[in-house]
Amino acid sequence: MEAAGSDSTIDLDRAGNKPRALIDPFARAITYLRVSVTDRCDFRCVYCMSEHMSFLPKADLLSLEELDRLCSAFIAKGVVKLRLTGGEPLVRRGIMTLVSSLSRHLASGALKELTVTTNGSQLEKYASELKGHGVERINVSLDTLDPEKFRAITRWGDLGKVLAGIDAAQAAGLKVKINAVALKGVNEDEIAGLMQWAHGRGMDLTVIEVMPLGDIEESRLDQYLPLSLVRARLAERFTLEDIDYRTGGPARYVRVKETGGRLGFITPLTHNFCESCNRVRITCTGTLYMCLGQDDAADLRSPLRASESDAALHAAIDEAIARKPKGHDFVIDRRRQAPAVGRHMSVTGG
Ligand code: SAM
Ligand code: SF4
């Protein structure tokens, strides 16, 4: 099994100072890093992947040790929140070695939060280990509570396993948030039920609009359900009270009076959420994407591998952040057949 780094790799500059913090051209401080640790997955969700995806050769992937070093460089530069995602992060071999080694930054106080976004299929196995390494909260993606619909959406998934995973996570003391993609004609009649179920178990629910990322077999126009409609329908049955709760992310939250729970809406297409963006993403090959909805990227694998010192890596990160764009240009419309961005969500990480 690969071993992830255990020493702190935070380099000081020549004057002995910590590396420069990450501030982009629009004065946004970059404090949140999402890391796709693998592009592979044990599901094939219809909005995320085509059924016959080709994946990266394993040799192209950063080792766990390199992922640790890359994450540590960002933490040295002021990142305080780190999310492991994918593909399915919990199918990456040895993933707990990485979680365990990254937890030293929680212990030192440099990192405030280490979290995971997962489809839940492996949670039964890993929930208590995650908690043991200092993970407090996780996001589990779940679009339906109907086993057949679940199978149709994920193509390969088993709802029972995911529900057992959520049970295990809650039993281990992890705080769970459910993420559901709103899909026209598929789960639109179920969102109220999903919300009542989640709130009944003390979990927040966030509903997400389909984003045009990567070629899939179906048309995104057929899947796209504007959340303005979801919200209007929920408002007919529930009292939705706007609240200030923010997680530093793009979700806007309401409190549902009848359930007492929180409901979030992520609406990249109907509202622009970019002005407060604090995040960047790296892929499992060490490519840094400054925006989920743009193609510009920076290769961090070369500077990472070029030298044992982190100086070149820090310089490459600074240069990339200086190019972070103001926002995305997502569009789903009939004239534009191709996806706005060619890479799949599983590459950049959700
Ligand atoms: N496999 C993990 C999971 O499903 O939670 C982590 C990676 S997945 C790419 C992260 C999130 O992105 C999931 O909540 C998924 O539903 C969402 N997602 C994937 N493709 C999407 C798309 N085209 N539009 C909107 N959300 C998408
Ligand atoms: Fe896999 Fe997550 Fe994409 Fe579904 S959304 S195919 S679980 S990466």
Side-chain angles (χ1 to χ4, degrees):
M1 193 194 290
E2 298 165 274
S6 54
D7 295 324
S8 169
T9 52
I10 296 174
D11 274 1
L12 301 179
D13 67 14
R14 283 192 195 152
N17 298 315
K18 272 188 76 167
R20 209 147 44 98
L22 300 172
I23 309 289
D24 82 357
F26 305 94
R28 297 171 297 195
I30 307 307
T31 55
Y32 183 8
L33 177 67
R34 297 169 79 108
V35 186
S36 176
V37 297
T38 175
D39 62 331
R40 290 166 194 253
C41 187
D42 52 345
F43 291 3
R44 292 286 181 279
C45 301
V46 290
Y47 46 78
C48 180
M49 294 191 182
S50 73
E51 187 157 16
H52 307 286
M53 288 285 285
S54 39
F55 294 105
L56 293 163
K58 287 206 171 132
D60 285 2
L61 259 58
L62 295 184
S63 67
L64 295 172
E65 216 165 18
E66 288 172 326
L67 280 170
D68 180 279
R69 203 177 135 206
L70 201 46
C71 293
S72 300
F74 276 91
I75 294 166
K77 289 180 132 318
V79 160
V80 294
K81 180 170 171 182
L82 204 147
R83 179 176 297 278
L84 302 181
T85 175
E88 175 46 41
L90 299 184
V91 302
R92 170 88 197 240
R93 189 178 301 192
I95 185 66
M96 285 301 138
T97 316
L98 178 65
V99 175
S100 163
S101 72
L102 289 173
S103 70
R104 72 185 184 282
H105 296 300
L106 289 171
S108 76
L111 189 62
K112 301 223 169 352
E113 191 172 33
L114 177 60
T115 59
V116 177
T117 297
T118 174
N119 65 22
S121 70
Q122 311 296 314
L123 258 184
E124 215 179 348
K125 187 157 122 205
Y126 289 131
S128 32
E129 252 185 286
L130 286 170
K131 175 73 181 166
H133 293 312
V135 174
E136 297 291 341
R137 304 188 306 149
I138 57 169
N139 289 355
V140 179
S141 306
L142 179 63
D143 307 324
T144 175
L145 290 170
D146 175 322
E148 275 168 36
K149 228 186 255 180
F150 185 82
R151 171 61 63 133
I153 295 172
T154 61
R155 292 196 185 100
W156 296 2
D158 173 355
L159 177 65
K161 271 183 87 175
V162 173
L163 295 179
I166 293 172
D167 287 344
Q170 290 197 300
L174 290 168
K175 213 160 168 12
V176 179
K177 178 164 82 73
I178 302 292
N179 284 340
V181 176
L183 297 163
K184 187 157 90 182
V186 178
N187 65 355
E188 60 183 301
D189 56 337
E190 249 200 278
I191 291 176
L194 202 54
M195 178 188 84
Q196 286 170 304
W197 168 79
H199 289 177
R201 297 183 51 137
M203 305 184 291
D204 291 348
L205 172 72
T206 298
V207 197
I208 307 172
E209 271 173 357
V210 170
M211 291 177 243
L213 302 173
D215 265 324
I216 52 170
E217 273 126 15
E218 298 174 32
S219 154
R220 286 244 161 65
L221 195 63
D222 293 342
Q223 299 176 337
Y224 175 58
L225 176 65
L227 293 193
S228 46
L229 195 62
V230 173
R231 185 177 170 142
R233 284 185 192 153
L234 286 172
E236 288 169 10
R237 292 177 52 194
F238 300 92
T239 318
L240 310 181
E241 301 168 336
D242 282 314
I243 51 174
D244 260 351
Y245 177 72
R246 297 298 298 267
T247 55
R252 297 285 177 275
Y253 282 89
V254 295
R255 168 86 53 201
V256 181
K257 202 169 165 200
E258 289 76 6
T259 62
R262 264 190 306 245
L263 174 66
F265 297 96
I266 300 189
T267 55
L269 296 159
T270 46
H271 289 280
N272 208 304
F273 57 34
C274 304
E275 65 279 0
S276 59
C277 183
N278 61 354
R279 63 198 54 200
V280 291
R281 296 170 162 86
I282 44 181
T283 70
C284 54
T285 55
T287 303
L288 173 68
Y289 283 98
M290 287 72 86
C291 173
L292 179 65
Q294 300 277 359
D295 283 324
D296 189 23
D299 166 36
L300 298 183
R301 186 173 58 182
S302 307
L304 182 81
R305 290 186 173 167
S307 145
E308 278 183 16
S309 145
D310 283 343
L313 181 58
H314 284 292
I317 296 172
D318 285 338
E319 213 170 275
I321 298 301
R323 303 202 305 268
K324 184 168 160 64
K326 195 166 181 197
H328 67 69
D329 321 303
F330 288 144
V331 195
I332 294 184
D333 68 20
R334 290 187 192 279
R335 281 156 299 168
R336 192 163 158 170
Q337 291 298 321
V341 167
R343 63 187 188 277
H344 292 86
M345 186 77 135
S346 52
V347 172
T348 334

